[in-house]
Amino acid sequence: MENFQFYSPTEFVFGRDTEDKAGELVKKHGGSKVLIHYGGGSAERSGLLGRVRTSLEKAGVSFIELGGVKPNPRDTLVYEGIELCRRDGIDFILSVGGGSVIDSSKAIALGVPYSGDFWDFYCDKAVAKAALPVGTVLTIAAAGSEGSGDSVITKEDGGLKRGTGTDLIRPRFSILDPQLTCTLPAYQTACGATDIMAHVFERYFTNTTEVEVTDRLCEAVLLTMIKETPRVIADPNNYDARANIMWAGTVAHTNIVGVGREQDWNSHGIEHELSALYDCAHGAGLAVIMPAWMEFVYRHDPLRFAQAATRIWGCQMDFGNPEVTALEGIKRFRSFLHSIGMPINFAELGAREEDIPALVDKFGIGDGKTGGFVHLSAEDITEIYRIAAKAEL
Amino acid sequence: MENFQFYSPTEFVFGRDTEDKAGELVKKHGGSKVLIHYGGGSAERSGLLGRVRTSLEKAGVSFIELGGVKPNPRDTLVYEGIELCRRDGIDFILSVGGGSVIDSSKAIALGVPYSGDFWDFYCDKAVAKAALPVGTVLTIAAAGSEGSGDSVITKEDGGLKRGTGTDLIRPRFSILDPQLTCTLPAYQTACGATDIMAHVFERYFTNTTEVEVTDRLCEAVLLTMIKETPRVIADPNNYDARANIMWAGTVAHTNIVGVGREQDWNSHGIEHELSALYDCAHGAGLAVIMPAWMEFVYRHDPLRFAQAATRIWGCQMDFGNPEVTALEGIKRFRSFLHSIGMPINFAELGAREEDIPALVDKFGIGDGKTGGFVHLSAEDITEIYRIAAKAEL
């Protein structure tokens, strides 16, 4: 196990009707003039925004609003948010939505006290020294942004998708009401579930040895997702299944299951180019990419893949041929994704094989390699896209 | 799943030689005049206290010291600590030791800003409003106090053992260096491992349904302990096994594995009377009590015990007779405890069957019942002590 620091100071308030505590929580965590940041009209139509406003008013907290965050949130709206906050002396950002809204909120939070361009933090030109506090009311179990110090933003001009991470933007509180996720369409629910599982697998495949405790914690989250996801696809109003998925999604990304071990994250990087080019859902892109990545790299450590296959997917271990077990686990992962309605190849995702050179080019590693479980060259990434393009059950 | 709040703001700094960061961490978390609180001479002899002092000096932080904390920490030393802190204007308590030292530190932290008797918080006479900040350098993986808001203190006069809990005494930081646990004797190591496992089982046996995610997380910690504990008993210097146990111990008690579900904790209460009367190690007392408690209550929900038996202990499920599987799991737990050197009955612990009426009397529920997985009367507790007294492999 490697040395590590683990710091997750977010106050999680979980359960039915917890959104009514938004006002008191903003106040408790020092906010007095709030920007409510949200996405489309569903938060308004569902009555959620109304409840949040009422809660803020009851707590004596003033607020302004900025909606319009899209999936794969854009820099343009971030600039607008920064201006608004500066103009009105906003001291707290309350994010009402899913990962995209939270990531956009975090970008605004970083930008307000910074004299330069907030994008500097996303292209490693500057290290953040301050940020406005952020709180969240989560509406989708997926990105884990409600419990992380990470944010991913897409540049409108050119579609460049980049991330940043700092403890400064860890939410002060996150309100998690599983009821809010019951109205999500099956496709979005499945995309979220795939993202959660991917966050765990990115941590699971590691070259660090002697990490039983985090291996087992990763498996715990994955076993939960395998049990609960089909239940919510079959019955969207199953509160308990929604609740298990929601807490699993947060646990998956606070990093408590990933500390002390080298992590991978190449599937996320390879997928980001897909969602940037086709504006597809991140989870759907991951469903296509991650099993393909696994098929490309499993020979690097067949026993780790066999461990996943037996402990997570319930495969019988073939002690004479661990690679057979390893491949069986990957196959079951892809079948599972298909069973919950996810695409498993380029055609189903709406991606085109002829774009692969452009995707690899945009990934932008040139003659270098990306780190992780297996270091990948541009050629390797091309091959992973090719496997993904043609994948079948 | 039930509604819950989860808040674990402690900064965990984990790994080799992390104790050298004590000074910078105290400073980062606002301390300038520190009380170093510790137990016996081993912290001095091992050089740990010296390293901590050097680290504080380097960070420009002044300090005084108070040693002498015993297992089952006493109120008398807490009073002494409170006086010292007030006299010298101490603004931070740095705990160097195991759970007893941390619990004593937390009690001092609560007592300093309080005008009444600190014991008020432990007998539910008052609710804490303030506390000095506490940081820890952990030397035993066991109590989980490094990541919890709990503290248990024993009254010297009469041996009453009582606990309190508040977010105010959650450590600001906890330094976890697995190397520091390598010098622990096998018996203490096993006591710590038993305590960690007990913390998870207290959460695992619940009447709350639909808690797959926390069930799986509990199982993850237990599977880790089952793998790693025999390795450190066989080879005390196995750093990686020590590291897995240390992180498992913290995860077990931040409550991330126990949120949203009713918990039990009767085994802890029943054990506390043993360690208060005989001054035995808490973990050793739990090794005697917890399997006995399980044997007394398993009929309340045989399928939950069968789940534990199959998922945690690897038993084959007897679908025709789930109770057989349930009992097999309890048997394997007791055998495991015996295999790591723990006592399994009163004689091995140094307890006396004839004291049972006195133990039950001190538990003090009269004609009432204690809550939890199964509500227990004084008669039930008597029977659990009797089962524990005579237990065999």
Side-chain angles (χ1 to χ4, degrees):
Chain A
M1 200 186 294
E2 296 173 1
N3 282 14
F4 65 84
Q5 184 240 35
F6 177 71
Y7 181 53
S8 172
T10 305
E11 180 179 355
F12 296 103
V13 180
F14 189 103
R16 294 178 197 272
D17 302 327
T18 43
E19 58 272 29
D20 295 335
K21 297 185 176 173
E24 77 185 67
L25 284 164
V26 165
K27 218 167 155 185
K28 176 177 172 184
H29 289 276
S32 62
K33 286 193 82 174
V34 171
L35 172 72
I36 304 179
H37 197 35
Y38 61 97
S42 65
E44 188 72 78
R45 285 191 302 277
S46 70
L48 174 60
L49 274 176
R51 289 178 74 172
V52 168
R53 284 185 201 112
T54 305
S55 172
L56 291 173
E57 280 159 6
K58 272 193 190 161
V61 171
S62 70
F63 56 88
I64 59 170
E65 301 182 12
L66 177 64
V69 181
K70 292 183 203 162
N72 304 313
R74 314 305 152 95
D75 61 337
T76 43
L77 194 68
V78 172
Y79 290 116
E80 200 180 319
I82 293 169
E83 287 240 336
L84 262 180
C85 288
R86 286 182 182 157
R87 191 195 68 193
D88 284 19
I90 294 300
D91 61 13
F92 199 99
I93 300 178
L94 180 60
S95 179
V96 180
S100 296
V101 178
I102 303 173
D103 282 10
S104 184
S105 300
K106 289 172 172 176
I108 296 171
L110 285 169
V112 172
Y114 181 59
S115 58
D117 182 349
F118 90 91
W119 189 254
D120 291 351
F121 304 125
Y122 290 74
C123 59
D124 295 325
K125 261 200 203 163
V127 174
K129 298 246 166 63
L132 288 190
V134 175
T136 86
V137 180
L138 187 66
T139 58
I140 311 175
S145 190
E146 70 280 5
S148 85
D150 303 322
S151 161
V152 177
I153 298 290
T154 299
K155 232 183 169 23
E156 187 89 50
D157 180 14
L160 203 64
K161 191 169 180 176
R162 289 292 176 265
T164 192
T166 159
D167 283 337
L168 292 167
I169 52 174
R170 282 186 178 272
R172 302 302 171 96
F173 68 82
S174 281
I175 290 172
L176 313 177
D177 179 356
Q179 294 177 124
L180 300 178
T181 68
C182 288
T183 51
L184 276 179
Y187 186 77
Q188 267 181 275
T189 299
C191 284
T194 306
D195 197 16
I196 291 169
M197 295 178 77
H199 288 158
V200 181
F201 277 127
E202 297 279 22
R203 294 170 163 98
Y204 194 77
F205 293 104
T206 184
N207 295 305
T208 312
T209 56
E210 297 283 2
V211 286
E212 183 74 358
V213 63
T214 39
D215 271 5
R216 290 291 188 182
L217 291 168
C218 283
E219 291 157 9
V221 175
L222 290 164
L223 287 164
T224 302
M225 297 306 296
I226 292 166
K227 178 186 171 193
E228 304 294 2
T229 307
R231 296 175 78 200
V232 295
I233 299 298
D235 173 12
N237 288 310
N238 186 326
Y239 175 85
D240 283 311
R242 292 279 187 189
N244 277 286
I245 289 172
M246 204 167 201
W247 190 235
T250 300
V251 170
H253 215 41
T254 62
N255 207 30
I256 199 164
V257 305
V259 291
R261 50 198 288 156
E262 187 189 276
Q263 303 183 2
D264 190 72
W265 297 99
N266 277 328
S267 293
H268 264 70
I270 295 169
E271 190 293 313
H272 278 171
E273 302 311 332
L274 289 179
S275 47
L277 184 62
Y278 304 112
D279 209 14
C280 60
H282 175 52
L286 284 167
V288 173
I289 292 299
M290 194 159 242
W293 172 84
M294 290 180 178
E295 282 169 345
F296 185 76
V297 303
Y298 80 95
R299 282 184 202 85
H300 174 66
D301 188 351
L303 281 175
R304 176 150 283 274
F305 275 88
Q307 175 181 305
T310 53
R311 291 187 182 176
I312 299 163
W313 298 107
C315 299
Q316 288 294 314
M317 176 68 186
D318 183 340
F319 290 91
N321 302 286
E323 298 209 354
V324 170
T325 309
L327 278 174
E328 176 63 22
I330 300 168
K331 198 177 156 188
R332 290 205 195 175
F333 180 31
R334 189 179 274 130
S335 296
F336 176 82
L337 294 168
H338 174 74
S339 76
I340 61 170
M342 284 289 94
I344 58 159
N345 55 38
F346 268 31
E348 291 182 15
L349 183 69
R352 290 176 303 266
E353 209 173 336
E354 57 265 36
D355 291 336
I356 290 177
L359 289 164
V360 174
D361 194 48
K362 215 145 174 213
F363 195 96
I365 49 164
D367 295 334
K369 290 201 173 195
T370 69
F373 182 63
V374 172
H375 292 230
L376 302 175
S377 66
E379 209 169 275
D380 298 331
I381 292 167
T382 302
E383 184 56 24
I384 290 167
Y385 279 128
R386 279 199 195 125
I387 297 170
K390 294 175 182 155
E392 287 185 12
L393 284 187
Chain B
M1 200 187 293
E2 297 172 359
N3 283 12
F4 65 83
Q5 183 238 36
F6 177 72
Y7 181 53
S8 173
T10 305
E11 180 178 355
F12 296 103
V13 179
F14 188 103
R16 293 177 198 272
D17 302 328
T18 44
E19 58 272 28
D20 294 336
K21 297 184 176 173
E24 76 184 68
L25 283 164
V26 165
K27 217 167 157 183
K28 176 177 171 184
H29 290 275
S32 62
K33 285 194 83 174
V34 171
L35 172 72
I36 303 179
H37 198 34
Y38 62 96
S42 65
E44 189 73 78
R45 286 191 302 275
S46 70
L48 173 60
L49 274 176
R51 289 177 74 172
V52 168
R53 285 186 201 112
T54 305
S55 172
L56 290 173
E57 279 159 6
K58 271 192 190 160
V61 170
S62 70
F63 56 86
I64 59 170
E65 301 182 11
L66 177 64
V69 182
K70 293 182 202 163
N72 304 315
R74 315 304 152 97
D75 61 336
T76 41
L77 194 69
V78 172
Y79 291 115
E80 199 179 320
I82 293 170
E83 288 239 336
L84 263 180
C85 288
R86 286 181 182 156
R87 190 195 67 196
D88 284 19
I90 294 299
D91 60 14
F92 199 99
I93 300 177
L94 180 61
S95 180
V96 180
S100 297
V101 178
I102 302 173
D103 282 9
S104 184
S105 300
K106 289 172 172 177
I108 296 171
L110 284 169
V112 172
Y114 181 58
S115 57
D117 182 350
F118 91 91
W119 188 254
D120 292 350
F121 304 126
Y122 290 74
C123 58
D124 295 326
K125 260 200 205 164
V127 174
K129 298 247 166 60
L132 288 190
V134 174
T136 86
V137 180
L138 187 66
T139 58
I140 310 175
S145 190
E146 70 280 6
S148 86
D150 304 321
S151 160
V152 177
I153 299 290
T154 299
K155 232 182 169 23
E156 186 89 49
D157 182 13
L160 204 64
K161 190 169 181 176
R162 289 293 175 265
T164 192
T166 160
D167 283 339
L168 292 167
I169 51 174
R170 282 186 178 274
R172 302 301 171 98
F173 68 82
S174 282
I175 291 173
L176 313 177
D177 179 356
Q179 293 177 125
L180 300 177
T181 68
C182 289
T183 49
L184 276 178
Y187 185 77
Q188 267 182 275
T189 299
C191 284
T194 305
D195 197 17
I196 292 169
M197 294 178 78
H199 288 158
V200 181
F201 278 126
E202 296 279 21
R203 292 170 164 100
Y204 194 77
F205 293 104
T206 183
N207 295 304
T208 312
T209 56
E210 298 281 3
V211 286
E212 182 74 0
V213 62
T214 39
D215 270 5
R216 289 292 188 183
L217 291 168
C218 284
E219 291 157 8
V221 174
L222 290 164
L223 287 164
T224 303
M225 296 306 297
I226 293 166
K227 178 184 171 196
E228 304 293 2
T229 307
R231 295 175 79 200
V232 295
I233 299 297
D235 174 13
N237 288 310
N238 186 327
Y239 176 85
D240 283 310
R242 293 277 187 191
N244 277 286
I245 289 172
M246 203 168 202
W247 189 235
T250 300
V251 171
H253 214 41
T254 63
N255 206 29
I256 199 164
V257 306
V259 291
R261 52 198 288 155
E262 186 187 275
Q263 303 183 1
D264 190 71
W265 297 99
N266 276 329
S267 293
H268 266 69
I270 296 169
E271 189 293 312
H272 279 171
E273 302 311 332
L274 288 179
S275 47
L277 184 61
Y278 304 113
D279 209 16
C280 60
H282 175 52
L286 284 168
V288 173
I289 292 298
M290 194 160 243
W293 172 84
M294 290 180 177
E295 282 169 345
F296 185 75
V297 303
Y298 79 96
R299 283 184 201 85
H300 174 66
D301 189 352
L303 281 175
R304 175 150 285 275
F305 275 88
Q307 175 181 307
T310 53
R311 291 186 180 177
I312 299 163
W313 298 107
C315 299
Q316 288 294 313
M317 176 66 186
D318 183 340
F319 290 91
N321 303 285
E323 298 209 354
V324 171
T325 309
L327 278 173
E328 176 63 21
I330 300 168
K331 196 178 158 189
R332 290 206 195 174
F333 180 32
R334 189 178 276 130
S335 296
F336 176 83
L337 294 167
H338 174 75
S339 77
I340 61 171
M342 284 289 93
I344 58 159
N345 54 37
F346 268 30
E348 291 182 15
L349 183 70
R352 288 176 303 266
E353 208 172 337
E354 56 266 36
D355 292 335
I356 290 177
L359 290 165
V360 174
D361 193 49
K362 214 146 175 211
F363 195 95
I365 50 165
D367 294 335
K369 289 201 172 195
T370 69
F373 182 63
V374 173
H375 291 230
L376 301 176
S377 67
E379 208 169 277
D380 297 332
I381 293 167
T382 302
E383 183 56 25
I384 290 166
Y385 279 128
R386 279 200 196 124
I387 296 171
K390 294 174 184 156
E392 288 186 10
L393 284 187

